[in-house]
Amino acid sequence: MIDQKKTVILYGSQTGNAEELSQLLWRQFKLRGFSGPAIAMDDYDIRNLISEELVIFICSTTGDGEEPDNMKKFWKFLLRKNLPHDSLKKLKFGVLGLGDSSYLKFNFVAKKLNKRLLQLGATQLLDIGLCDYQHDLGNDAIFIPWTAELWKKLSQYGSNPVDTDSTLPSFLPRWNVLKTDFTSDQSIKRTNDLYFPDENNLDCCADKPFIMELKSNIRTTSLEHFQDVRLLEFGPLKETFDGYEPGDVVNLRPRNSKAQVDLFFDIFSDHQLNLHRDDIINVTQIHDDMPVPKYFQKPMLLSQLVEQYWDLSAIPRKYAFSVLAVESENKLEKEKCIEFCSPNGSEDLLNYCNRPRRTILEVLEDFHHSTSKLSLNHLFEMFTSIKPRAFSIASSCKAADRKQIDILVAVVKYFTKLKTERLGLCSNWLKNIPIGMRIFAWVTKGTFVFPKSVNTPLIMIGPGTGLAPFRNVILEQEHLQQASNETLILFFGCRNEKGDFHCGDYLKQMESSGKLALTCAFSRDQDNKIYVQHKIEESGSFLWNLIQKKSGCIFIAGNSKNMPDAVKQSFVQIFIKEGNMTEVDASEYLKRLEVSKQLQLETW
């Protein structure tokens, strides 16, 4: 039995996805009579863990199987050797992991956490849930059935069975949201950024943000090429900037486009809410266990909220349809929303929403009768927040004297069965920001950890924008006068030499000066398609010598769909041929290289 209906939900996340799911789960617990906070692991007093009876952990995996920043202190404490093996004997727990199956260490952090809790004597309520970003339904594909199983398990520990059949939960807002007319209160300070309102006082921010200014925006693909790729150069950075290392990534939070913001206000122009851009929004606390985030603790303009916080391009979760159904007075729309929320409606939801990539704004337009009944509290629950995006840094900190950050960005545009073109939020925002615009950013460690010795050969496979982290390394070693074609080996791939050979002039100049061994695969410049994996196999003897005799390290960066597996299979073939191995032995050898970090991947 669980003596009290109390639960603690602890999350660890680099981007905010785990926090969002934690708050969704908190709402479900609250509706079932439980109480307790949903907070980041490092914000929780871990000394209280030995007395907790029920804790749900939601965590993502970052980098090469590493825990998120807001989980590091918590995890370090759990690993202490002096903790008794029965420290957590009172605790019943569940672990939900957020991961991407294209990575070798899929949900590695959640698996480690689950194992460590068992070692400390805790009781596992249900099997670990392993969400996969690659699934058509995203995290919902695992989150929804996992939580249904959780309610069943919890019913065994309470006097009242937990309701698992309710398709439509009652609406429960996290916070109370009120608006006032700007003309009635003009004391609000208009700030440029919702998250960093005081650019002169950034030292107190945990992310160590800084301001960078766009200096240039160069298209690296020809105008005739189907894809628009940009090399963006930001700087100058202030002298107080801490700098970065090869392999690091820069994080930034994009904003919705003017067209999206205009569409939002068009949808709500004749709404009962009577929303205007200069409306002042106040967010206040309702529940003791759900405090208002710091960035909402001061009044803000609705236009700022719409542009910077709500992700207007997001595909809505099932929960958004449940909110619409709760409030709808239109029979047809209500029935359709209920159907989408039901287990039998998943395929219909995929066909309506996920596969054509229909956005939340387009859904609100389609369900306009239900939309007309929504309040600001509803909007706060239906819209997801804009998450930060991470980009491999494509410039050298040393070469730029810490005053420049470059990123290589493929602008996402494509069509589905819907009439309107689908646009990637961040890439299109970056493409269109004007020269001289200043944005906030912060640097974190990426997946790649490059060897400290410059004598270690670097075998770099970076087709397309996968070139970015390797451009960082090449620029740095050139600046330090350490660049050599014996240690810098780059395999680059694209469609056409004249179409999308990013930074091609610089790479060819480095090759001609003997500072880089460059091999290119231009897949469409001949009748038969040639990819980087083909070029790698052609260089089998050379690469085997670097790996086996000189401890050369392999780095693979780029699209996660097919390329990484194809490249790894090429190395398996090299090991079979050059190392006289069986296929099984060659595959095991490849795995050992990954475990020892002699082979590293950074894919997206």
Side-chain angles (χ1 to χ4, degrees):
M1 293 287 291
I2 295 176
D3 294 334
Q4 307 173 52
K5 273 202 165 183
K6 180 194 173 185
T7 183
V8 176
I9 304 171
L10 300 177
Y11 62 82
S13 177
Q14 206 82 341
T15 63
N17 286 317
E19 179 181 6
E20 206 162 76
L21 279 183
S22 297
Q23 293 181 351
L24 192 59
L25 189 58
W26 168 89
R27 186 184 295 110
Q28 295 181 23
F29 269 109
K30 201 79 171 176
L31 289 166
R32 288 166 170 82
F34 286 81
S35 64
I39 57 176
M41 294 186 198
D42 281 357
D43 293 335
Y44 172 76
D45 189 344
I46 197 170
R47 294 172 298 180
N48 295 332
L49 197 60
I50 60 172
S51 59
E52 303 287 5
E53 291 192 61
L54 177 59
V55 178
I56 305 300
F57 299 88
I58 302 179
C59 54
S60 60
T61 297
T62 65
D64 187 26
E66 298 172 359
E67 62 279 359
D69 289 343
N70 59 0
M71 178 183 169
K72 290 187 182 296
K73 289 190 296 183
F74 182 92
W75 180 240
K76 185 177 180 180
F77 184 93
L78 276 190
L79 289 179
R80 288 170 57 174
K81 293 181 179 180
N82 61 347
L83 292 178
H85 64 86
D86 60 349
S87 301
L88 303 180
K89 61 183 179 182
K90 290 183 63 177
L91 178 67
K92 298 172 182 65
F93 75 93
V95 174
L96 183 72
L98 310 183
D100 185 329
S101 58
S102 67
Y103 284 84
L104 175 70
K105 294 186 176 179
F106 172 58
N107 270 310
F108 192 61
V109 171
K111 294 172 184 175
K112 287 194 301 182
L113 175 61
N114 196 80
K115 182 178 179 181
R116 183 56 177 158
L117 293 169
L118 289 171
Q119 290 174 344
L120 295 174
T123 301
Q124 187 174 355
L125 273 172
L126 72 169
D127 290 341
I128 184 173
L130 302 176
C131 296
D132 185 3
Y133 174 78
Q134 297 293 331
H135 195 283
D136 281 344
L137 281 173
N139 292 328
D140 274 355
I142 296 298
F143 176 73
I144 291 174
W146 186 84
T147 50
E149 181 65 19
L150 174 63
W151 308 136
K152 291 179 182 178
K153 295 294 184 182
L154 285 176
S155 67
Q156 302 172 14
Y157 292 94
S159 56
N160 298 318
V162 177
D163 178 14
T164 60
D165 298 324
S166 175
T167 304
L168 293 175
S170 302
F171 176 68
L172 179 71
R174 289 168 292 173
W175 312 297
N176 189 40
V177 186
L178 296 172
K179 79 177 182 75
T180 56
D181 192 339
F182 182 77
T183 57
S184 65
D185 181 4
Q186 298 188 23
S187 63
I188 182 172
K189 181 182 178 183
R190 293 178 183 267
T191 60
N192 179 51
D193 195 277
L194 177 66
Y195 298 91
F196 309 113
D198 186 359
E199 64 180 57
N200 297 315
N201 185 27
L202 298 176
D203 294 337
C204 60
C205 300
D207 292 326
K208 294 185 178 179
F210 52 89
I211 298 172
M212 57 185 195
E213 181 178 308
L214 183 63
K215 291 176 62 179
S216 67
N217 181 344
I218 301 170
R219 178 168 175 148
T220 63
T221 52
S222 68
L223 293 176
E224 296 78 24
H225 191 69
F226 81 100
Q227 189 173 43
D228 183 356
V229 178
R230 301 293 175 121
L231 180 66
L232 292 96
E233 178 185 322
F234 292 93
L237 305 174
K238 291 185 177 180
E239 294 296 330
T240 54
F241 175 58
D242 289 342
Y244 54 89
E245 299 292 331
D248 286 355
V249 299
V250 62
N251 304 269
L252 46 87
R253 188 180 276 103
R255 298 182 180 185
N256 293 307
S257 68
K258 182 180 181 300
Q260 290 170 309
V261 173
D262 289 345
L263 178 56
F264 174 90
F265 284 103
D266 286 345
I267 291 172
F268 290 95
S269 59
D270 297 325
H271 193 279
Q272 62 181 2
L273 286 173
N274 193 27
L275 297 180
H276 300 285
R277 297 171 193 265
D278 280 348
D279 286 338
I280 298 174
I281 303 300
N282 289 275
V283 181
T284 56
Q285 186 166 328
I286 303 175
H287 313 280
D288 292 339
D289 50 11
M290 182 55 65
V292 175
K294 184 177 180 180
Y295 44 83
F296 283 158
Q297 290 177 2
K298 292 183 179 180
M300 73 202 89
L301 293 175
L302 179 58
S303 57
Q304 187 178 37
L305 181 72
V306 174
E307 181 195 29
Q308 300 182 34
Y309 181 70
W310 285 330
D311 189 343
L312 306 184
S313 297
I315 301 169
R317 303 174 58 88
K318 274 192 177 185
Y319 180 70
F321 291 97
S322 72
V323 174
L324 277 174
V326 167
E327 299 305 318
S328 179
E329 296 177 1
N330 180 279
K331 183 181 178 181
L332 290 176
E333 290 186 6
K334 188 180 187 78
E335 288 177 351
K336 179 55 71 174
C337 287
I338 292 173
E339 180 186 343
F340 284 157
C341 294
S342 69
N344 294 331
S346 293
E347 188 66 23
D348 287 340
L349 180 61
L350 277 172
N351 290 329
Y352 169 71
C353 231
N354 297 68
R355 289 181 178 132
R357 315 301 290 177
R358 197 181 304 269
T359 70
I360 180 66
L361 288 184
E362 291 169 329
V363 168
L364 292 178
E365 284 187 301
D366 286 351
F367 290 81
H368 60 277
H369 294 294
S370 304
T371 299
S372 69
K373 302 300 178 183
L374 297 175
S375 68
L376 275 171
N377 279 339
H378 292 123
L379 297 185
F380 262 82
E381 304 309 321
M382 290 184 66
F383 284 104
T384 56
S385 61
I386 294 176
K387 306 299 187 300
R389 269 57 164 189
F391 293 90
S392 295
I393 299 177
S395 52
S396 163
C397 188
K398 291 184 174 65
D401 193 24
R402 298 196 309 168
K403 293 180 181 179
Q404 182 174 318
I405 286 181
D406 295 352
I407 57 176
L408 197 59
V409 181
V411 181
V412 178
K413 290 185 179 184
Y414 59 96
F415 281 97
T416 64
K417 68 179 184 180
L418 301 178
K419 182 178 180 180
T420 307
E421 192 175 27
R422 306 294 93 183
L423 302 176
L425 171 61
C426 188
S427 61
N428 283 276
W429 174 71
L430 284 169
K431 171 190 172 182
N432 292 311
I433 61 176
I435 301 297
M437 181 171 172
R438 302 160 78 230
I439 65 174
F440 289 88
W442 59 99
V443 168
T444 53
K445 292 296 177 185
T447 304
F448 286 155
V449 179
F450 290 99
K452 293 183 178 179
S453 172
V454 295
N455 296 319
T456 302
L458 306 182
I459 303 166
M460 303 171 286
I461 299 98
T465 56
L467 171 67
F470 306 135
R471 184 175 184 264
N472 184 333
V473 174
I474 295 166
L475 283 167
E476 181 142 317
Q477 292 207 14
E478 180 192 21
H479 174 73
L480 297 174
Q481 298 183 352
Q482 296 168 341
S484 166
N485 57 15
E486 295 183 1
T487 54
L488 293 178
I489 298 93
L490 174 66
F491 288 85
F492 176 80
C494 64
R495 289 194 170 209
N496 313 105
E497 182 174 7
K498 294 182 179 179
D500 54 339
F501 190 5
H502 313 310
C503 310
D505 290 342
Y506 170 70
L507 295 176
K508 288 190 286 187
Q509 180 265 320
M510 289 291 289
E511 179 190 30
S512 63
S513 61
K515 299 176 182 178
L516 175 70
L518 176 65
T519 302
C520 295
F522 303 117
S523 62
R524 306 302 200 277
D525 277 353
Q526 59 283 312
D527 292 337
N528 58 315
K529 294 178 182 177
I530 297 176
Y531 298 110
V532 286
Q533 59 264 31
H534 302 132
K535 294 293 185 178
I536 287 169
E537 287 194 50
E538 289 176 8
S539 305
S541 177
F542 169 64
L543 295 175
W544 172 252
N545 181 63
L546 292 179
I547 296 166
Q548 187 69 6
K549 295 184 179 180
K550 298 185 179 181
S551 301
C553 293
I554 305 167
F555 297 89
I556 305 171
N559 190 289
S560 64
K561 189 174 182 181
N562 298 314
M563 182 273 296
D565 286 340
V567 167
K568 288 197 288 185
Q569 189 56 39
S570 291
F571 278 104
V572 167
Q573 295 305 313
I574 290 172
F575 302 156
I576 291 172
K577 181 179 179 181
E578 303 297 332
N580 295 316
M581 299 182 188
T582 65
E583 185 167 354
V584 172
D585 289 341
S587 297
E588 286 298 318
Y589 183 65
L590 186 80
K591 289 180 181 178
R592 290 199 298 273
L593 292 179
E594 289 191 75
V595 171
S596 67
K597 293 194 175 183
Q598 198 173 341
L599 167 60
Q600 299 178 40
L601 286 84
E602 182 173 282
T603 58
W604 50 86

